[in-house]
Amino acid sequence: MTRRSWTAGVLLIGILAAGAAVNRAAVRATFALDDFAQRAMIEGTLTTRRGPFNLYDLIADDNRAALLDRGVIPWWSEPHLTIRFLRPLPSLLIWVDHRLFGNGAFGPHVFSFLWWAAAVLAAHVLYRTAVGNRAAWIATLVFALSPTLAVPLVWLANRTVLLSVTFGALALALYVRWRADRRSAVGLATAGAFGAAALTGEYALCLLGYLIAFELCHRGEPIRRRFVGALPAVGPLLLYAGVRAVLGYGTAGTGFYRDPTTDLGAYLHALPRTLSALLVSAWLGAGVNVPWLASDVLRATLIACAGVLVVGAVWTAGRQRSRAMTFGGAWLACGSVLVLFPLAATEPGWRLLGVAALGIGGAVGVLLDVGMRRLRPPVRPSLVVGVAALAALIHLVAAPLQARRISVDEVEDQSQSLARFTTVPQRARSVDTALVVRATQGLTALSAPFVLREDAPKHWLVLSHTFGQTAAIRTSVSSVDVVQEKTALFPLGPTGIVRTSPFRVGDVVETAALRAEVLKVDEAGRPQAVHYEFNRDLDSPNVAWISEGRSGFGDVVPPPVGIGVRLNR
């Protein structure tokens, strides 16, 4: 081993160690959200059994009715609610996790760390290929410390991002080489790498943003040569998109996901908000929910700045094509903006931005390298140096602190959410029906039976999902009215995860376990009073009344007919 390769190995180990130290809280994480559903699907005890390759078929025609009956999803869900993602490789790895570790979370999180390390190493390969040696080291450090990788490390179902980044970075590195020398072996390897990336799921489609950016910056080739050059990359991604469409994958009836192929209007309506939030998080390190992002003027300004970045990157690449480092930094910067458009189909969050971080790391690496070169004597005032210093502050100083905070917060939130379920009264775990008169946490209204596993009642029926003071009025031995005076009984609307369409007074929803009639709605069509009828005596020993409050769950004494009970915060 040469001294140079030894030094490179030590640097890589140091970068991996720094990133691992920042994200070390992830190994203490438990399960969250879809993690519970996927393990239930593997076992086939609480829902329709799924095979190794379709564990991201969360809500579909074949299991929706059973999920409603069991109470995994609430009664107010859209009748055609669908959440299905074609992610065969991540699904297989979740299945392997369960086979190896059962319902233990430590082993799967160790595997996620290995995939995170693979993503960092793959990113380094891309940077070495695209921007040169010195800038690549800086870029790799920026990527390893990025807060965009914190949530995929903590949330096992979101590991798909790490897989997409790993195969995507290798595919882009091979694509750069293929476009440079056009050797058939490299072309085949490029097609194979993009095919592997496609198997990780729809995040791989974001790679099209980098391919478009590369073509915008790489000018001078005839159209036919460009077309042939792009085939090994574009072909596998288009094949994946075609299979996804034919098999009916995608989402419907949810505002959390807005599939542009089935609901373009909703996607375009939300685009200014979601795109500006993703931009400010990816490039400036701010949270997606910062209050000042509510300003339409500021959103427009951010999007305009992103447009300037894209145009400036293309212009810079065209003027300095002879400098490989500048060209690589330009198309990576341009691509990091373009990949946000498909990501804007989902409510914005850190967990989405791993693919965008690839381009940001490369662009920041080049910027800092150029800035350091400008600091050689004689030092002159320079805009580049000032921008580079700001980028270093955001991506090398603030970013690891933010990644650490996100990691710790996510782990603590998981632990606290699970701890609340230990307070579910024992009687509610052993009865046929648990009436949850009020739920306050999202996991209570969505997936609670999966969390409780063998302790789950046959029917977990959530009657309201609100933090406000709620009244439950007994109207007969088998019916009850649930009323909220000031706010809605449950969330719905453009960003609602299980329903977007409003209710009207008189609307009736029937499931196998209950009949719900809307008595009162607010101006947005959100119910404030609902009449519930059940096919059983609510005083039966097989029915438990419970409610969730600030400190967890507690029993609710069933009121006599004609009498109500008020649930305070």
Side-chain angles (χ1 to χ4, degrees):
M1 181 179 288
T2 65
R3 181 176 180 181
R4 184 174 180 179
S5 61
W6 174 264
T7 302
V10 171
L11 284 174
L12 274 177
I13 292 173
I15 290 172
L16 290 171
V22 166
N23 291 288
R24 64 186 183 276
V27 295
R28 297 188 287 106
T30 57
F31 295 142
L33 302 172
D34 300 342
D35 298 338
F36 296 106
Q38 288 172 330
R39 280 147 185 84
M41 287 189 285
I42 293 171
E43 296 168 355
T45 53
L46 297 174
T47 184
T48 302
R49 186 182 296 274
R50 300 289 194 207
F53 298 103
N54 60 347
L55 294 177
Y56 286 88
D57 284 25
L58 299 171
I59 303 174
D61 292 341
D62 66 339
N63 69 347
R64 188 185 304 112
L67 296 177
L68 278 168
D69 180 43
R70 192 70 192 244
V72 174
I73 56 177
W75 67 266
W76 59 84
S77 302
E78 291 278 7
H80 60 287
L81 178 65
T82 302
I83 301 177
R84 300 179 67 211
F85 303 112
L86 182 58
R87 300 173 180 174
L89 183 55
S91 176
L92 176 62
L93 293 179
I94 294 293
W95 185 85
V96 171
D97 283 346
H98 190 267
R99 285 292 180 266
L100 292 177
F101 306 108
N103 289 302
F106 178 76
H109 281 99
V110 172
F111 277 178
S112 288
F113 251 109
L114 294 177
W115 278 106
W116 169 84
V120 173
L121 295 176
H124 183 67
V125 172
L126 170 62
Y127 299 144
R128 288 285 296 269
T129 305
V131 301
N133 189 41
R134 177 167 160 171
W137 287 112
I138 304 172
T140 305
L141 180 61
V142 169
F143 181 76
L145 299 178
S146 173
T148 65
L149 304 179
V151 177
L153 272 169
V154 173
W155 185 18
L156 294 173
N158 196 220
R159 184 198 288 163
T160 182
V161 172
L162 300 177
L163 274 67
S164 296
V165 169
T166 300
F167 291 109
L170 293 175
L172 290 172
L174 286 167
Y175 184 72
V176 173
R177 293 179 181 177
W178 157 247
R179 293 303 299 271
D181 61 25
R182 299 297 182 101
R183 287 184 297 163
S184 58
V186 179
L188 290 173
T190 300
F194 273 98
L199 291 176
T200 68
E202 68 283 350
Y203 284 104
L205 295 177
C206 296
L207 298 175
L208 289 169
Y210 288 115
L211 298 178
I212 293 171
F214 186 92
E215 295 304 323
L216 289 173
C217 295
H218 188 270
R219 289 172 286 183
E221 283 188 340
I223 296 297
R224 182 176 179 180
R225 184 171 174 81
R226 282 177 178 271
F227 178 78
V228 173
L231 273 179
V234 175
L237 297 181
L238 293 183
L239 178 61
Y240 167 82
V243 172
R244 177 181 180 272
V246 169
L247 296 180
Y249 279 87
T251 63
T254 171
F256 193 84
Y257 304 102
R258 293 167 293 273
D259 192 332
T261 63
T262 57
D263 195 354
L264 182 60
Y267 169 78
L268 293 176
H269 182 266
L271 186 60
R273 175 179 61 85
T274 55
L275 183 60
S276 58
L278 293 172
L279 280 167
V280 78
S281 296
W283 274 96
L284 302 181
V288 297
N289 295 317
V290 288
W292 44 270
L293 267 179
S295 167
D296 291 336
V297 174
L298 187 54
R299 289 174 182 170
T301 302
L302 287 168
I303 294 173
C305 289
V308 171
L309 175 60
V310 170
V311 173
V314 174
W315 179 80
T316 300
R319 283 177 57 88
Q320 303 186 42
R321 281 193 57 199
S322 60
R323 297 186 61 185
M325 179 186 72
T326 304
F327 170 70
W331 73 262
L332 286 170
C334 178
S336 73
V337 174
L338 298 182
V339 301
L340 298 180
F341 283 88
L343 293 176
T346 301
E347 278 300 289
W350 286 109
R351 66 186 181 86
L352 303 175
L353 292 168
V355 181
L358 270 180
I360 294 169
V364 171
V366 171
L367 177 62
L368 296 185
D369 188 22
V370 172
M372 288 187 291
R373 294 177 191 274
R374 297 284 180 91
L375 290 176
R376 294 173 181 172
V379 178
R380 297 185 180 91
S382 169
L383 177 61
V384 172
V385 173
V387 174
L390 179 60
L393 180 64
I394 293 173
H395 295 281
L396 290 178
V397 178
L401 299 177
Q402 194 167 40
R404 173 65 178 165
R405 177 185 59 78
I406 292 172
S407 183
V408 171
D409 288 350
E410 288 290 323
V411 171
E412 290 180 352
D413 286 347
Q414 286 182 4
S415 299
Q416 291 172 6
S417 294
L418 292 184
R420 296 180 71 84
F421 283 94
T422 64
T423 67
V424 174
Q426 189 61 41
R427 194 173 98 76
R429 300 168 182 259
S430 57
V431 295
D432 178 86
T433 301
L435 293 185
V436 187
V437 182
R438 181 184 63 188
T440 59
Q441 305 299 312
L443 202 57
T444 305
L446 193 65
S447 297
F450 291 158
V451 179
L452 292 171
R453 291 175 54 77
E454 61 273 5
D455 289 335
K458 186 175 180 180
H459 303 286
W460 175 272
L461 305 180
V462 176
L463 307 186
S464 68
H465 181 196
T466 176
F467 286 97
Q469 189 180 74
T470 306
I473 304 164
R474 190 76 173 274
T475 54
S476 75
V477 294
S478 60
S479 63
V480 62
D481 289 354
V482 178
V483 180
Q484 172 62 254
E485 295 180 0
K486 296 183 179 180
T487 61
L489 285 173
F490 43 80
L492 56 82
T495 62
I497 192 168
V498 297
R499 189 181 184 96
T500 57
S501 57
F503 281 97
R504 294 175 297 180
V505 172
D507 281 350
V508 174
V509 175
E510 292 191 56
T511 71
L514 61 81
R515 180 182 187 275
E517 180 180 358
V518 177
L519 303 179
K520 179 183 177 183
V521 299
D522 63 11
E523 65 281 356
R526 297 173 300 185
Q528 291 183 293
V530 176
H531 174 70
Y532 293 99
E533 294 181 4
F534 304 88
N535 58 2
R536 66 204 67 194
D537 184 347
L538 298 183
D539 293 317
S540 166
N542 285 323
V543 177
W545 293 52
I546 62 174
S547 175
E548 188 177 17
R550 290 184 181 275
S551 57
F553 293 87
D555 285 308
V556 174
V557 178
V561 175
I563 304 297
V565 59
R566 189 174 295 276
L567 307 174
N568 297 316
R569 287 187 169 185

